[in-house]
Amino acid sequence: DIISSNRDNTDNETLKILSDMDNLEKSILQIQSMLDRVSKYVKEVVNGEREGNNVIGRYLLDTMSFIPNINATDFEKMFNKHLQDLLVVVYLANLTRSQLAIAEKLQNIV
């Protein structure tokens, strides 16, 4: 009974991780869409197809100044390392939970 309920918890946490991954993907797609809109706006202003707005230009300049200059390869390495660390922590937490359930079951037998 304890072990089966532990399996249910593990399955729920696996689903939670997957949903976190789905949320991350959704967020990345939203950011990519926003960047595409901003890029289109800037290109239109530069090409003279649209009149520029000083407030928007200043806001974009301030926003861009906060972004660190990291190349794509380094960013991907950092992201993957963080994701692997997160998955190891989840795995260890599940392993500890399983060991505690087994120890409790053994203690009830003795």
Side-chain angles (χ1 to χ4, degrees):
D1 187 34
I2 292 173
I3 294 175
S4 66
S5 67
N6 188 30
R7 283 189 190 137
D8 292 340
N9 289 340
T10 303
D11 291 341
N12 289 340
E13 288 181 11
T14 303
L15 291 175
K16 182 179 176 188
I17 290 172
L18 293 177
S19 68
D20 286 347
M21 295 296 276
D22 290 339
N23 286 333
L24 177 62
E25 180 182 8
K26 183 179 174 184
S27 296
I28 289 172
L29 291 174
Q30 287 176 341
I31 290 172
Q32 190 173 27
S33 172
M34 288 182 220
L35 288 173
D36 289 341
R37 283 194 341 237
V38 169
S39 179
K40 181 182 174 191
Y41 171 79
V42 170
K43 285 179 184 176
E44 289 175 354
V45 170
V46 169
N47 292 335
E49 300 168 4
R50 177 184 242 178
E51 185 177 334
N53 183 326
N54 290 337
V55 174
I56 293 174
R58 186 58 151 164
Y59 180 76
L60 290 174
L61 179 67
D62 290 344
T63 301
M64 295 302 290
S65 69
F66 287 116
I67 299 173
N69 189 11
I70 300 174
N71 67 27
T73 306
D74 290 342
F75 178 78
E76 186 176 351
K77 285 179 186 176
M78 287 188 309
F79 180 80
N80 287 333
K81 185 177 181 328
H82 177 71
L83 185 60
Q84 288 174 356
D85 291 347
L86 176 65
L87 292 174
V88 167
V89 168
V90 170
Y91 172 77
L92 290 174
N94 288 334
L95 184 62
T96 302
R97 187 176 296 113
S98 297
Q99 287 181 340
L100 288 172
I102 291 170
E104 184 178 330
K105 188 134 184 143
L106 288 174
Q107 193 172 34
N108 289 339
I109 293 172
V110 175

